[in-house]
Amino acid sequence: MNHVKKECVAMLLAGGQGSRLYALTQNMAKPAVPYGGKYRIIDFPLSNCVNSGIDTVGVLTQYQPLVLNEYIGNGHPWGLDRVHGGVHVLPPYETASGKSWYTGTANAIYQNISFIDRYNPEYVAVLSGDHIYKMDYSKMLDYHKKKKAEATIAVLEVPWEEASRFGIMTADEEGTITEFAEKPKEPKSNLASMGVYIFTWATLKRHLIANENDEGATKDFGKNIIPAMLDEGSKLVAYHFDAYWKDVGTIDSLWEANMDCLDPNVPLDLYDPKWKIYSRNPVMPPHYAGPSSKIENSMVAEGCEIEGETDFSVLFDGVVIEEGATVRYSIVMPNTVVKKGAVIEYSIVGEECTIGENAHIGERPENVENRDEWGVAVVGNSINVSANAVIAPKAMISQDV
Amino acid sequence: MANMSNVLGLIFANMHELTITDLTKNRAMASVPFGARYRLIDFPLSNMVNSGISTVGIVTKSNYQSLLDHVGSGDEWDLSRKNGGLHFLPPYSNYVTGLYRGRLEALVGIQNFISQSHADYVIMSDCDCVANVDFKKIVDFHEEKGSDITVVFGKKEFTPEQTKTRTILKVDDNGEVLDVLVRPELSGAYDASMNMFVMSKEFVLKIINESSSRNLYSFEVDVLQHRLKEFKVFGYEFSGFYEQIDGIRAYYQANMSLMNRDVRKELFNLTDPIYTKVRDEAPAKYGLESSAKSCIIADGCIIEGTVENSVLFRGVKVGKGAVVKNCILMQNTEVGDKCELNYVIADKNVVIGNYRSIGGTIDYPVFVNKGSNV
């Protein structure tokens, strides 16, 4: 087949289970988790690609791909339904040699070498599908070319005490990476990898093949590919990023990241017409605020019907808050109904739930004596919480109560 | 049972424009903004799609730039199809005819489009009615009655002012149309045409032929009224919610009717949704000490003041301490801090500076032109 050549193809790693999101990722991969009132996490890297001029994207899925497959569809919402390129969902597949599952991030790209080769690109961007950030990859690609690098890794400075949670880069004054350590116990630097890489394709391909042939390797970018490139003396450079970036891998960080949308001091502008975050829009009417509603400090998506109160909360499309119900410091995902008199505080409530009358979910930290017992309460997707039920802070509900 | 894939939809984009000249100065009737995120054409277009029609022609006359921008390739309505889909039909005029004068002449201009279609039936609709209509039921009715022309009508109380813009029917119990009055002055309960018609393709082509050779151009006068005895004309009563927009007051009322839960449920039901162009706006955001009561609010709004009994389109900003009551604020209107607005209809991209106060009344809302700086 004769494909039009692309300078840069993006490969989006979207197979992550997001196991620390528990109930929320029972039936969907982490990149499909709802965020910010109308988005799913994957909208951010996908929109970044489009806004950066990258029009060929492979999305690597593995864990619970149904929601993600349906969501991405033909890529039209992101303008990625293209004659040449566009978005392609790439699940693992069986070959003559019997291989099938993606056994690591590097293996996932390895198994799709032929997909990338069809576009004969100079460069490949490898992106994690797990983070909330707005980034112009074209600037990073310019930097990669200017530095004549084989690999460019986007990094941001993290607080020293958190550094051991990340892949940590040590770089010289020129930005050339001299050392890389995956989750080091004693970090030598606080430059953390954002999970955004640009590789010169020929070099990466060579390493992927070598890594695949190395029986002992874990087939992982951080553990194998990057160290091997450093050992070989390839030029790896760090690309500094200093805007908003958030990993939403845990309940607390997902809750915080949503609350960030409401904080005028957080530099994540979702209203910028020049860098829109695209998403599959539900076909819903505008939201309705009833005569008894009280809405402050909140994000409210289309299709919501609000007769009750909401403060410091993010309400996704189609959420109903009946009269006398209150939602505070919480995230309520699509089409959930909060019945009369119910109270939701410091909680994340999944999609399509029903919260019965006078039920009480979560608690404000001030009201909990032992702070260790406090945490964000989570109600999974499609759960019925019966009337008058009380759900303690930090609880994780994955079946009807 | 009618096979709806054999039905051709025709939407007349420019009819009834003179009833709301404020809003149609720079746009077609079809692209008049409505209900916080819609344009009037979204209703007939979505109704046709929801009824199973897959080929729709949009008949335009003038000012159709914003309409083109709105409907694009039709993909938001799932009308970007390999077979059929959306067809834009700009006016077809020559040195003899000039721009068309009425519905019949418009049909003459698109005669080829109609005759080349594989459809058995043609449904025609204007853009003045806000309603959720199942056209399939109307085509079934048309077949069942063996009708030549089926007119969709609604029963309402009218003032003479209102009937002056409408076609009033007299329909018997069997649904047969006995009399047609075009733009009369009447008061009381009447059956009024919703400007939606069903005919077979052959019948449409026949009346096009006969009319063009006699220099006739008004479908209502020259066909419905004058040839009523000659044809089998039936009226289909639409008993659901509808508002017909024939003036700025009606426009205001129709928008405000969305505050009624039953109206919203019927108009925006989940099985037959109303589609519109997607703008990829973030959800509406409320700030500190904001308040919204009895409001319809679209995505992309940023509300830092107080809004009551109002319709806010996409991207409207209401500044701190501002009080907005009984208003319709269209796309990207910016209301400055500490403003007071009451009964104001602001067209798109209006900027209202801080501390301004503008007020109208329920019967005479103040209209602010597109792009004005106040």
Side-chain angles (χ1 to χ4, degrees), chain A residues 163-179:
Chain A
S164 51
R165 285 175 40 214
F166 296 93
I168 294 295
M169 246 47 74
T170 312
D172 66 16
E173 285 169 5
E174 293 287 295
T176 304
I177 295 168
T178 54
E179 224 183 304

Side-chain angles (χ1 to χ4, degrees), chain A residues 38-39 76 261 271 276 278 281 284-291 293 295-300 302 305 307, chain B residues 35 37-38 75 259 261 264 278-290 292-297 299:
Chain A
K38 73 179 287 196
Y39 308 100
H76 178 258
C261 297
Y271 298 83
K276 275 191 179 175
Y278 299 96
N281 283 259
M284 291 260 191
H287 79 259
Y288 171 70
S293 76
I295 312 173
E296 274 189 89
N297 307 305
S298 293
M299 257 176 129
V300 181
E302 293 186 331
E305 296 262 327
E307 302 276 1
Chain B
R37 69 192 289 267
Y38 303 98
D75 47 13
M259 303 305 165
R261 174 195 295 264
R264 287 198 306 280
V278 165
R279 257 192 46 164
D280 290 292
E281 294 274 6
K285 190 155 142 178
Y286 290 86
L288 208 63
E289 292 176 357
S290 64
K293 289 184 196 296
S294 300
C295 288
I296 295 287
I297 296 168
D299 271 4

Side-chain angles (χ1 to χ4, degrees), chain A residues 355-372:
Chain A
I355 309 302
E357 285 185 18
N358 303 316
H360 196 126
I361 297 174
E363 192 58 82
R364 37 180 66 223
E366 304 90 278
N367 296 351
V368 178
E369 262 179 50
N370 183 352
R371 278 297 164 92
D372 292 339

